[in-house]
Amino acid sequence: MADTTALFKRQLPRNSLLQVLAFASQVVIGVLLVPYLVRQLGRAAYGLIPIAGMMTEYVNLISHSIACAVNRFLAIALQRDDTEEANRVFNTAFFSYLAIGLLQVPLFLFVIYHAGTLFSIPDELFRDAILLLMCSAVVYLVNLLASVFAVPMYANNRLDICRIIDIGRCFFRLTGVVTLFLAFGPALRYVGYVDLGIGLVLLVVQVVVGKRLAPALVLRRRFYDWHKIHQLAGMSGWLLLNSIGALLFLRIDIWLCNRFVSAEAAGDYAAVQQWAALIRHGGMIVSGVIAPMIVIYYARSDMEHVVRLCQVAVRVLSLILAVPISMMCVFSAPLLRLWLGDSFVPLAPLMVLLLCHLVINVGVMPLFNIQVALNKVRWPGLVTLLMGVVNLGVALSLVTYLHWGVYGLAIAGAIVLTAKNAVFTPLYAAWILHRPWHTFITSYLSGLGLLIVLLGFGYAINRYATPTSWMNLILLAFVIGVVGLAAVWAALPDSDRRLMIDLIPQRIRRMMARVLAT
């Protein structure tokens, strides 16, 4: 246990720093690229970009579900120095991924051939939309193979390398799109070309890095194990159901908006949704920091550390999320005006609807790692799929019968997703860990309370000092941020503060002490 904690403490600052930088790069790219694409391509064309990503994302559920299972079994094998077992898992995953990729080709061809029926595509954008869909399909196949070689990074808790790759992807996506637009003029197909080029380069990078981190892993046909298929499929099948349900929560709204409202409305919805996507991505980064350690602690039968780590992670994450969410909700109207223009200001209530519930729905993300580590994924898969279908039904009803448009989509997702994650997710995590039912519920309630306080404080400021420029907006957001972060530290129990401080390496603690002393 001491070795595990020491390893965690050595790697934590590096992982955390790169996680923060990766998230910051996502924010910067989102702030710069989204308005650029909307202005250069138009709202209808921009709305087709997430549609293309959604097409491959449905199929990508299979690879993601298998990847979670592979991550778990390979990490446990490597932690136990079982090279033979690790190679069986690695090779079984690789050749399975290859087969899965080939099986998806007819599905991609079907979707591309019937794109005009499945999606609302303006005639002048049809050719570019088809090329974008084709590039997305190839990128999916490339990323499918690349994901196998990324597993050693997870298994060795080298999330800093994963985030460096993410930063590179963000940077080259921005510069690549702008360069092609300036050289050849704005066109939807160039977005697909850039994504394809980046995918091919990152495949090579992940192969090289994966080989260096786990030199004992080799691609050999003789390591392919049919028995491992059953083991991996048993876990990944339930994860697949979970992912399909999650997609019915998080991605189906773009297609519903495109199909039942309008292509222009889908573009508006996709643009405003970027801020919610950034919050989700930030939550995934934070929960991803502790994911390898939860698996490692479980592999070493240290369940007390699993519980304690998840309690602190949920509490800290929900409290921290309350700060940016409150700022974005309070200043939604001026933010949209400065970011996208006056025509987007009426969508400020939509932005609030998309953001406010994330303090719970993103705050509980660390608990998903418990389900995977303990291989208790059957009930989460069934419940998530069921609730996803309910969300689809509610959203369709609000859009088609009540004609609530984009607001119906946002309301349906907020209600149904919160009902699942505020109740089932924390109760199930406590049950499989044999802990009291309230073990994790109390962890996110503090974040919800802080959000309510900061919203009241922020709206009071906004009433008398509405920002009219980026500088004013940044200054007012800074005030709320400082107050919020101070409240976060004050809201943390002493035991949580001590644990967070204890996870900081001695060298950094000594440096901080010298700075404070001066």
Side-chain angles (χ1 to χ4, degrees), residues 75-342:
I76 291 175
L78 291 175
Q79 283 296 316
R80 294 173 177 172
D81 296 322
D82 191 344
T83 303
E84 180 75 17
E85 174 72 5
N87 268 302
R88 285 202 298 269
V89 173
F90 179 72
N91 281 270
T92 302
F94 176 82
F95 290 109
S96 299
Y97 274 34
L98 188 60
I100 289 170
L102 295 175
L103 289 173
Q104 306 315 313
V105 173
L107 178 58
F108 284 133
L109 294 176
F110 174 84
V111 172
I112 292 171
Y113 184 78
H114 295 281
T117 303
L118 295 172
F119 312 117
S120 176
I121 304 175
D123 293 338
E124 67 274 13
L125 297 174
F126 190 80
R127 176 175 173 270
D128 274 21
I130 294 300
L131 290 172
L132 177 65
L133 291 173
M134 293 173 64
C135 288
S136 296
V138 178
V139 169
Y140 158 74
L141 297 175
V142 171
N143 290 340
L144 186 64
L145 293 179
S147 63
V148 181
F149 297 95
V151 173
M153 303 179 206
Y154 177 93
N156 287 278
N157 197 21
R158 292 306 306 271
L159 301 180
D160 53 331
I161 301 177
C162 296
R163 299 294 80 81
I164 290 174
I165 292 174
D166 289 342
I167 293 171
R169 180 186 289 110
C170 290
F171 174 78
F172 287 111
R173 190 167 194 260
L174 174 63
T175 56
V177 168
V178 173
T179 300
L180 289 182
F181 279 19
L182 291 176
F184 304 105
L188 190 60
R189 62 182 179 275
Y190 294 143
V191 178
Y193 295 163
V194 170
D195 288 341
L196 177 57
I198 293 173
L200 292 171
V201 171
L202 293 185
L203 171 62
V204 176
V205 171
Q206 286 176 290
V207 169
V208 173
V209 173
K211 184 62 178 176
R212 289 191 176 183
L213 286 178
L217 297 179
V218 293
L219 279 178
R220 296 287 187 275
R221 177 65 180 81
R222 65 183 179 87
F223 284 119
Y224 186 83
D225 189 346
W226 280 101
H227 298 291
K228 285 296 168 191
I229 292 289
H230 176 73
Q231 186 182 41
L232 294 175
M235 180 177 184
S236 61
W238 295 113
L239 287 172
L240 176 60
L241 289 181
N242 196 316
S243 298
I244 292 175
L247 207 56
L248 291 174
F249 279 116
L250 305 178
R251 301 294 291 180
I252 197 67
D253 49 1
I254 291 292
W255 176 75
L256 289 174
C257 193
N258 174 275
R259 190 70 179 80
F260 296 101
V261 185
S262 70
E264 291 76 14
D268 293 349
Y269 190 89
V272 175
Q273 196 184 43
Q274 286 298 311
W275 294 102
L278 286 173
I279 293 294
R280 293 184 191 280
H281 185 75
M284 291 175 62
I285 286 176
V286 174
S287 61
V289 170
I290 67 167
M293 293 311 305
I294 291 176
V295 175
I296 292 172
Y297 280 134
Y298 172 73
R300 301 187 180 188
S301 302
D302 189 356
M303 302 308 294
E304 288 301 321
H305 270 81
V306 170
V307 175
R308 190 74 184 96
L309 193 59
C310 287
Q311 282 181 318
V312 175
V314 171
R315 184 177 293 111
V316 171
L317 179 56
S318 60
L319 284 168
I320 291 177
L321 285 173
V323 180
I325 290 174
S326 63
M327 290 189 292
M328 292 178 190
C329 290
V330 167
F331 300 120
S332 56
L335 176 59
L336 289 175
R337 178 184 296 110
L338 295 170
W339 185 46
L340 296 172
D342 291 336

Side-chain angles (χ1 to χ4, degrees), residues 319-391:
L319 284 168
I320 291 177
L321 285 173
V323 180
I325 290 174
S326 63
M327 290 189 292
M328 292 178 190
C329 290
V330 167
F331 300 120
S332 56
L335 176 59
L336 289 175
R337 178 184 296 110
L338 295 170
W339 185 46
L340 296 172
D342 291 336
S343 61
F344 281 83
V345 173
L347 296 175
L350 173 65
M351 187 170 173
V352 174
L353 284 173
L354 291 171
L355 286 169
C356 61
H357 61 90
L358 297 183
V359 70
I360 294 176
N361 290 317
V362 176
V364 299
M365 277 186 176
L367 302 182
F368 301 154
N369 299 319
I370 297 176
Q371 302 168 7
V372 174
L374 274 65
N375 195 9
K376 299 289 187 180
V377 293
R378 176 184 301 177
W379 282 108
L382 292 172
V383 171
T384 304
L385 180 61
L386 174 63
M387 298 298 284
V389 173
V390 171
N391 176 67

Side-chain angles (χ1 to χ4, degrees), residues 38-82:
V38 170
R39 293 178 185 127
Q40 293 292 322
L41 298 175
R43 294 181 175 183
Y46 176 76
L48 293 172
I49 295 176
I51 291 290
M54 185 186 71
M55 184 195 75
T56 57
E57 192 164 350
Y58 273 102
V59 185
N60 192 46
L61 288 175
I62 301 173
S63 63
H64 173 74
S65 302
I66 298 176
C68 289
V70 172
N71 285 343
R72 176 189 186 271
F73 291 112
L74 184 56
I76 291 175
L78 291 175
Q79 283 296 316
R80 294 173 177 172
D81 296 322
D82 191 344

Side-chain angles (χ1 to χ4, degrees), residues 434-499:
H434 307 291
R435 293 301 190 275
W437 64 271
H438 54 78
T439 298
F440 300 110
I441 288 181
T442 54
S443 297
Y444 72 70
L445 287 178
S446 53
L448 181 61
L450 179 61
L451 176 65
I452 295 172
V453 171
L454 290 178
L455 285 175
F457 176 67
Y459 280 119
I461 292 179
N462 191 35
R463 183 175 180 180
Y464 299 102
T466 301
T468 56
S469 67
W470 279 111
M471 183 58 68
N472 290 338
L473 179 62
I474 292 172
L475 288 175
L476 290 175
F478 178 77
V479 172
I480 296 179
V482 170
V483 173
L485 291 177
V488 168
W489 188 252
L492 287 175
D494 290 338
S495 58
D496 287 4
R497 296 180 199 168
R498 287 194 298 269
L499 178 60

